[in-house]
């Protein structure tokens, strides 16, 4: 047993040093340099959720946007006085400040115990897992060892994030670019079981679908009426509504049950059920929460591998919002 443990450590060490190929992520990356990092972050995230539930969706979405643009490297956290960083892209308006605040608070707590050791990218990864676990979702092991990236540009967001009008084929294409399968894409879309959307992101489905149908016929009619009430024409662009109309504050499989009922908010959501190629998976997740949870956990781990920097690449940022 001891011998096995020892040789495992040597293998891990060799991997870190890049001797047997590229450095990789692994769960106990900070075992000797910051052994309590996960409990420190969990505590900071718990405290933040007690202040506001928005912490949950805001942090989860921030992780997704970080990973799909430039890789999971904390590049989305950079603030720029000139307004040309990733977070200044048009999609930023909807990245709630509480996600950034969660990472900043967790980083402060981590720095107090292990200064200069843990990357902002890893803190965001742990925090994204924690908000899921703390709102009723699965608790799963995350891989660590990411380094923080050295670039963050607004223009590099273009074309790398999926839009709410995307078809299943387009979604598959953009997830495949990030080494994720259709099943990963469907499971991760289940993140829309928490959080908010602004009316502008789906108003086309209510008022200007096409010349014969004013309203998207794949929308459940009573849900459509509900949405029109919450989002009348020319509504204030700041108005946002729950994406899961049934259990908005709980990470569960209600999102998939909603899709089966025609209550998916975006074209990209409802398309997962209306398209033949993805419907069976939606049905499976709708009828079995455990199978959704295990697919979601696995997909989050794979999402967390996207375009990561390891070894000597990048840096360990002191302040998550600025390069060293
Ligand atoms: C499949 C493609 C996806 C599309 C087209 C999409 C699109 C969107 C849009 C348009 C919003 C609303 C933004 C707003 O108006 O405020 C949103 C919110 C959100 N998305 Fe996605 N998303 C996708 C995948 C994901 C994934 C993979 C995750 C994470 C696992 C995720 C998590 C969230 C969360 C939690 C919110 C709520 C944010 C908040 O309340 O602050 N989304 N998404
Ligand atoms: C409008 O959308 C419906 C439902 O998707 C479709 O059957 C119909 O052909 C579309 N009509 C036009 C004019 O595009
Ligand atoms: C996808 O996987 C390949 C092979 O492991 C790797 O070279 C590539 O960098 C990955 N792409 C992303 C976006 O992580
Ligand atoms: C909330 C937020 O950060 N909004 C900014 C988004 O980006 C534009 C420029 O593209 C800024 O003007 C906003 O202040």
């Amino acid at each position: 047993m001891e011998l096995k443990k020892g040789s495992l450590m040597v293998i891990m060490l060799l991997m870190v040093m890049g001797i047997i190929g590229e450095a990789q992520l692994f769960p106990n990356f900070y075992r000797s340099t910051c052994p309590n990092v996960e409990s420190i972050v969990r505590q900071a995230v718990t405290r933040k959720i007690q202040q506001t539930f928005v912490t949950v969706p805001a942090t989860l979405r921030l992780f997704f946007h970080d990973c799909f643009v430039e890789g999971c490297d904390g590049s989305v956290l950079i603030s720029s006085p000139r307004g040309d960083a990733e977070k200044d892209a048009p999609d930023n308006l909807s990245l709630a400040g509480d996600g950034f605040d969660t990472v900043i608070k967790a980083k402060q707590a981590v720095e107090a115990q292990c200064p200069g050791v843990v990357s902002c990218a890893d803190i965001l990864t742990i925090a994204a897992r924690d908000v899921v676990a703390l709102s009723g979702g699965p608790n799963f092991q995350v891989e660590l060892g990411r380094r923080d990236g050295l670039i963050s540009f607004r223009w590099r967001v273009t074309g790398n994030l999926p839009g709410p009008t995307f078809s299943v084929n387009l979604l598959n294409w953009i997830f495949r670019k990030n080494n994720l399968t259709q099943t990963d894409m469907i499971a991760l879309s289940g993140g829309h079981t928490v959080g908010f959307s602004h009316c502008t992101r789906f108003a086309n489905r209510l008022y200007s679908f096409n010349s014969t149908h004013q309203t998207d016929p794949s929308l459940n009619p009573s849900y459509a009426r509900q949405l029109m009430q919450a989002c009348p024409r020319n509504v204030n662009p700041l108005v946002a509504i729950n994406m899961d109309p049934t259990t908005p504050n709980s990470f569960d499989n209600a999102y998939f049950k909603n899709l089966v009922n025609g209550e998916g908010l975006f074209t990209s959501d409802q398309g997962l059920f209306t398209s033949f190629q993805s419907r069976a998976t939606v049905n499976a997740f709708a009828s079995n929460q455990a199978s959704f949870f295990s697919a979601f956990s696995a997909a989050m781990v794979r999402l967390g591998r996207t375009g990561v920097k390891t070894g000597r690449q990048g840096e360990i940022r002191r302040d998550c919002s600025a390069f060293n």
Side-chain angles (χ1 to χ4, degrees):
M1 187 58 207
E2 271 316 299
L3 198 112
K4 240 171 132 184
K5 243 170 140 182
S7 48
L8 196 69
M9 266 182 61
V10 172
I11 291 173
M12 284 178 167
L13 207 70
L14 290 175
M15 292 194 323
V16 182
M17 295 164 67
I19 289 174
I20 16 176
E22 258 180 68
Q24 283 179 9
L25 305 177
F26 55 92
N28 282 319
F29 185 83
Y30 298 106
R31 175 161 39 189
S32 58
T33 53
C34 192
N36 297 326
V37 60
E38 293 193 48
S39 59
I40 301 169
V41 172
R42 175 72 61 116
Q43 209 172 47
V45 172
T46 304
R47 205 171 301 136
K48 177 76 192 164
I49 294 177
Q50 281 162 359
Q51 288 161 10
T52 170
F53 184 82
V54 177
T55 302
V56 172
T59 306
L60 181 57
R61 185 164 188 240
L62 192 59
F63 175 63
F64 170 51
H65 283 216
D66 186 31
C67 292
F68 263 40
V69 183
E70 221 74 72
C72 314
D73 67 349
S75 50
V76 75
L77 302 168
I78 294 291
S79 36
S80 125
R82 270 173 279 123
D84 63 351
E86 247 175 78
K87 69 183 280 198
D88 301 306
D91 244 343
N92 74 335
L93 254 182
S94 55
L95 283 171
D98 287 304
F100 296 92
D101 192 45
T102 301
V103 176
I104 288 164
K105 296 234 161 81
K107 173 74 169 175
Q108 277 167 358
V110 170
E111 289 297 294
Q113 291 196 28
C114 340
V117 167
V118 183
S119 68
C120 298
D122 277 347
I123 288 176
L124 177 53
T125 305
I126 299 169
R129 183 271 315 275
D130 288 349
V131 294
V132 169
L134 291 168
S135 58
N139 194 13
F140 51 93
Q141 193 173 54
V142 291
E143 298 173 335
L144 301 171
R146 294 167 194 77
R147 308 262 302 172
D148 295 321
L150 298 173
I151 55 175
S152 173
F153 288 118
R154 180 184 157 151
W155 62 271
R156 289 174 70 103
V157 176
T158 314
N160 285 316
L161 286 171
T165 60
F166 274 27
S167 66
V168 174
N169 284 331
L170 263 179
L171 292 172
N172 276 334
W173 165 78
I174 204 162
F175 277 72
R176 206 176 306 117
K177 277 206 309 185
N178 292 283
N179 289 341
L180 297 163
T181 65
Q182 176 176 282
T183 304
D184 293 330
M185 181 274 286
I186 298 169
L188 289 169
S189 294
H192 289 172
T193 181
V194 287
F196 304 91
S197 168
H198 295 85
C199 296
T200 50
R201 310 312 292 270
F202 54 86
N204 66 313
R205 299 185 70 204
L206 305 178
Y207 303 114
S208 49
F209 186 66
N210 71 17
S211 53
T212 46
H213 291 75
Q214 287 279 297
T215 303
D216 185 338
S218 69
L219 262 178
N220 172 319
S222 95
Y223 184 49
R225 277 194 299 275
Q226 211 180 305
L227 291 176
M228 287 180 190
Q229 234 163 46
C231 300
R233 285 176 201 268
N234 306 318
V235 68
N236 179 332
L238 296 177
V239 170
I241 63 144
N242 287 325
M243 294 197 294
D244 173 358
T246 57
T247 54
N249 287 358
S250 162
F251 194 100
D252 55 18
N253 69 337
Y255 170 82
F256 298 101
K257 294 180 179 164
N258 296 340
L259 296 186
V260 174
N261 289 329
E263 297 176 331
L265 187 57
F266 304 137
T267 305
S268 57
D269 296 318
Q270 196 55 48
L272 301 178
F273 182 72
T274 52
S275 300
F276 178 73
Q277 53 179 326
S278 45
R279 181 179 298 174
T281 308
V282 170
N283 279 326
F285 292 164
S287 61
N288 185 340
Q289 179 161 276
S291 87
F292 163 50
F293 279 5
S294 85
F296 183 83
S297 306
M300 284 286 280
V301 171
R302 277 194 282 277
L303 173 60
R305 293 176 186 153
T306 304
V308 293
K309 283 95 197 161
T310 54
R312 290 184 187 173
Q313 299 169 306
E315 65 182 8
I316 303 296
R317 245 178 252 155
R318 278 186 295 275
D319 168 356
C320 292
S321 67
F323 302 119
N324 287 348

